[in-house]
Amino acid sequence: MLHRRILHPLVFNCFQTIRLKYKLTLSITLCSVHLPVFFTTTSGPLLKQKDGLPVDCKWMSDFGPSFHISGDDVEVLRQPSEFYDRLKELASKAKERVTIASLYIGTGTREEKLVSSLRTALANADCEVQVLLDVTRGSRGIKNSRTLLLPLIQDFPGRMQVSLYHAPALRGWIKKLLPERWNEIISLTHLKIYLFDNTLVLSGANLSDNYFTMRQDRYVVFNNCEALADYFHSLVQTVSSFSLQLMPDDNLSLHPNWTVHPEKGDPRKFSEEAYQRLSKFLCSKSFNLVTITSSLLATNSGSDTVVYPLLQMYPLGVSQDEHVTEHLLVTVPSGSIIKLASGYFNLTEKYEEIILQSSPAEFDLLVASPKVNGFYGAKGISGAIPDAYTHIAKKFYERVCDEHQERRIRLHEYDQENWTFHVKGLWVYYPGETLPSVTLIGSPNFGYRSVYRDLEAQVAIITSNENLRKQLHEEQQNLYERTSLVDQQTFKKPDRQIPLWVKFVTKFIKTYF
């Protein structure tokens, strides 16, 4: 078998031929992880299928399963408080399952109330709760995510599971040298999945007080979408299977079905076996049969929306999201407008080249101003992180100007007093359209960390549903109306003067952002 690093961008093709009762034979690609290829841009008017969905997005099915749903079952929330209230409501009403994946859970009053709603769910004897967090962030401090959840493990053995992902790269002298907080720069799980029975909430937000009050993010609710919920439930189960398990005595142990320790074992073996599990999950016939069935039924149902889950777990050999995002940026029709947001703006070289050189679209890029960066005002070296992002944004803007692209590529800064900015994702407006037909929503930031270091997941939503398109448009407008357009004067302001040492260091550490 080829080594994992050779397989890394390689699409793992699984073909299945299904003979339908109407004497129809279909040859279907069930799962694939593609090698980079050269794409050509789409020209001419946008063609649409009978259901109104853009034809040029059907290629996404080559990268994994798709789920056909009604856009009326999708709800876009706008405020952190709405997100928090919905999570508590859904958790307290859950009857069968609660599945959560987040970087961490905070330890304040609001987080305690959220955990209390998990206890309410567990009071139902048929309900099981599964939580996946990162081991570094979830273990930070004396009072942390582990201590918050430990009573539930002790009170509901067998029905309450807490898994903590430990990156295989965090080991040896690196782990010993890096203190808490800084040990999170190596690699971690950045998944944000909140699932209650058959209702799924996808967001870029973590579960802590500021994300529930004054830290702006995105939040999309998929109501009663069983097949889609099953997919993300299985994804969390898969990652949990090679994560450490929190025990009732607060110790960590390997999963019963896993033998390679992420820190003490062979890191290559850990990554290869984790890749095999993820490959098995991605090529699962059950999800791909759902894709086939729902696609065939969509013509005669209320389906007007397709959801494509996209995973990016480069350290473990999975790069669906990277390739789909690149393809999407390149193949949108000329005249399209893409609104792209990143709370931590640090585009990879490939994304930057595509935006500047290959994409035919216009771009409105939304980034955080220094004062709404989550690290603004932090003590020590962390306090310089907003300066590093300002330096990166300035270098990008200078390149835009040098290549005379200012009219096609516009940079906007979000600024809302006393708030921080954590928004990520994009919206695609096709030529002549006033409402978006495509959005990406989830945990990736389009930066180096998202693409090459962390475990990420998001979905592409392709829709012709008028109400959903209006919700997405209003979401985007609500974010962009709090921005100012970046120009050459922006970086001449006193608060944009970057220390020389920050400029120097950023060059060497930007791949950790």
Side-chain angles (χ1 to χ4, degrees):
M1 183 174 181
L2 291 176
H3 189 275
R4 180 183 64 85
R5 294 189 182 276
I6 300 176
L7 280 173
H8 165 63
L10 188 66
V11 179
F12 209 80
N13 289 315
C14 307
F15 293 95
Q16 172 106 359
T17 300
I18 299 180
R19 188 172 301 276
L20 303 176
K21 64 179 180 179
Y22 297 108
K23 298 182 179 180
L24 176 65
T25 301
L26 301 178
S27 181
I28 313 250
T29 301
L30 291 185
C31 175
S32 48
V33 182
H34 289 248
L35 281 166
V37 295
F38 294 98
F39 302 118
T40 58
T41 59
T42 305
S43 59
L46 175 67
L47 299 177
K48 296 187 177 182
Q49 305 172 67
K50 292 180 181 179
D51 58 8
L53 297 173
V55 168
D56 66 339
C57 288
K58 294 180 70 176
W59 55 265
M60 290 188 187
S61 294
D62 290 341
F63 290 83
S66 59
F67 298 85
H68 292 250
I69 63 175
S70 169
D72 292 335
D73 293 328
V74 184
E75 183 180 0
V76 180
L77 308 181
R78 293 193 198 176
Q79 298 297 325
S81 58
E82 290 181 274
F83 171 61
Y84 175 64
D85 291 340
R86 185 63 60 87
L87 291 182
K88 285 198 305 177
E89 177 189 1
L90 290 171
S92 61
K93 293 181 179 179
K95 302 299 182 185
E96 297 180 358
R97 63 182 177 184
V98 175
T99 305
I100 290 174
S102 188
L103 178 61
Y104 70 105
I105 302 177
T107 57
T109 302
R110 287 185 175 85
E111 296 92 317
E112 289 175 349
K113 290 180 179 179
L114 179 60
V115 171
S116 179
S117 67
L118 297 181
R119 181 175 288 276
T120 300
L122 286 164
N124 185 328
D126 295 325
C127 188
E128 296 183 354
V129 176
Q130 182 166 12
V131 178
L132 170 66
L133 307 172
D134 185 75
V135 71
T136 53
R137 187 61 182 88
S139 302
R140 186 201 295 179
I142 298 175
K143 187 179 180 182
N144 52 45
S145 306
R146 290 165 60 171
T147 59
L148 186 69
L149 296 171
L150 202 58
L152 294 183
I153 295 176
Q154 296 166 342
D155 294 345
F156 301 95
R159 293 197 292 117
M160 177 69 191
Q161 177 186 352
V162 177
S163 304
L164 295 121
Y165 174 78
H166 188 302
L170 183 61
R171 57 177 48 238
W173 67 268
I174 295 178
K175 186 171 183 177
K176 292 179 180 178
L177 182 65
L178 293 175
E180 282 190 350
R181 189 183 184 100
W182 289 101
N183 59 9
E184 298 163 25
I185 69 173
I186 301 300
S187 179
L188 44 74
T189 175
H190 200 240
L191 303 175
K192 315 293 170 62
I193 299 163
Y194 310 112
L195 191 157
F196 311 89
D197 291 336
N198 294 325
T199 294
L200 170 69
V201 182
L202 290 181
S203 176
N206 293 304
L207 300 179
S208 67
D209 184 83
N210 54 345
Y211 290 94
F212 301 149
T213 53
M214 299 171 66
R215 189 159 173 76
Q216 186 63 60
D217 215 301
R218 300 179 66 199
Y219 330 92
V220 174
V221 183
F222 300 87
N223 293 297
N224 301 313
C225 295
E226 182 177 2
L228 183 62
D230 286 346
Y231 175 92
F232 278 98
H233 175 73
S234 294
L235 170 61
V236 174
Q237 281 189 319
T238 301
V239 177
S240 296
S241 74
F242 50 79
S243 299
L244 299 173
Q245 308 301 302
L246 182 61
M247 307 307 291
D249 60 0
D250 197 29
N251 284 319
L252 300 176
S253 68
L254 294 179
H255 190 281
N257 298 322
W258 187 258
T259 60
V260 187
H261 197 282
E263 179 187 359
K264 301 173 183 177
D266 183 341
R268 178 177 296 183
K269 184 177 181 182
F270 179 95
S271 298
E272 289 177 344
E273 293 193 11
Y275 171 77
Q276 294 301 324
R277 291 211 176 178
L278 288 166
S279 296
K280 183 178 180 180
F281 162 73
L282 290 170
C283 293
S284 169
K285 292 183 180 180
S286 60
F287 293 124
N288 291 286
L289 287 173
V290 166
T291 296
I292 299 164
T293 304
S294 63
S295 180
L296 293 172
L297 293 177
T299 305
N300 300 315
S301 70
S303 171
D304 52 21
T305 301
V306 185
V307 180
Y308 298 92
L310 305 172
L311 306 185
Q312 185 69 19
M313 302 179 177
Y314 190 96
L316 305 180
V318 177
S319 54
Q320 283 179 321
D321 182 65
E322 174 190 5
H323 296 308
V324 169
T325 301
E326 290 173 358
H327 195 166
L328 177 64
L329 296 178
V330 171
T331 59
V332 293
S334 178
S336 298
I337 298 176
I338 295 178
K339 310 278 188 175
L340 186 152
S342 176
Y344 298 109
F345 184 74
N346 181 26
L347 297 175
T348 65
E349 291 182 7
K350 189 66 177 291
Y351 286 158
E352 186 170 316
E353 288 301 319
I354 288 174
I355 290 172
L356 285 164
Q357 303 289 342
S358 306
S359 178
E362 293 184 30
F363 284 86
D364 285 292
L365 305 176
L366 178 56
V367 304
S369 68
K371 290 184 179 180
V372 298
N373 185 291
F375 292 92
Y376 183 77
K379 297 179 180 179
I381 297 177
S382 297
I385 291 178
D387 285 338
Y389 281 110
T390 296
H391 179 61
I392 292 169
K394 181 182 179 182
K395 299 295 288 185
F396 175 81
Y397 182 74
E398 288 175 347
R399 187 177 175 193
V400 170
C401 294
D402 289 344
E403 300 188 16
H404 308 290
Q405 299 274 6
E406 304 100 309
R407 300 182 68 177
R408 186 177 70 86
I409 303 171
R410 299 168 290 272
L411 201 61
H412 304 256
E413 279 191 348
Y414 182 94
D415 194 3
Q416 186 176 7
E417 189 173 358
N418 297 323
W419 281 58
T420 54
F421 182 75
H422 201 248
V423 174
K424 51 192 74 70
L426 61 76
W427 302 257
V428 179
Y429 292 73
Y430 285 102
E433 301 280 352
T434 58
L435 299 175
S437 298
V438 180
T439 191
L440 299 185
I441 166 73
S443 65
N445 273 298
F446 307 104
Y448 278 88
R449 281 205 66 102
S450 291
V451 175
Y452 299 118
R453 292 193 176 277
D454 297 340
L455 309 190
E456 307 275 10
Q458 67 176 341
V459 295
I461 303 174
I462 320 298
T463 186
S464 62
N465 183 283
E466 195 75 3
N467 180 55
L468 177 53
R469 294 176 71 197
K470 286 180 180 178
Q471 287 189 76
L472 292 169
H473 177 66
E474 290 168 359
E475 174 198 36
Q476 177 272 124
Q477 282 192 315
N478 182 58
L479 295 169
Y480 276 77
E481 70 182 8
R482 294 180 170 86
T483 69
S484 58
L485 187 65
V486 171
D487 58 24
Q488 293 181 352
Q489 296 304 311
T490 300
F491 299 105
K492 295 180 180 179
K493 296 177 181 179
D495 64 341
R496 305 304 172 92
Q497 305 311 302
I498 312 301
L500 287 175
W501 74 267
V502 173
K503 295 179 182 180
F504 177 77
V505 171
T506 300
K507 181 178 180 180
F508 297 98
I509 66 172
K510 67 177 296 184
T511 60
Y512 292 92
F513 287 7

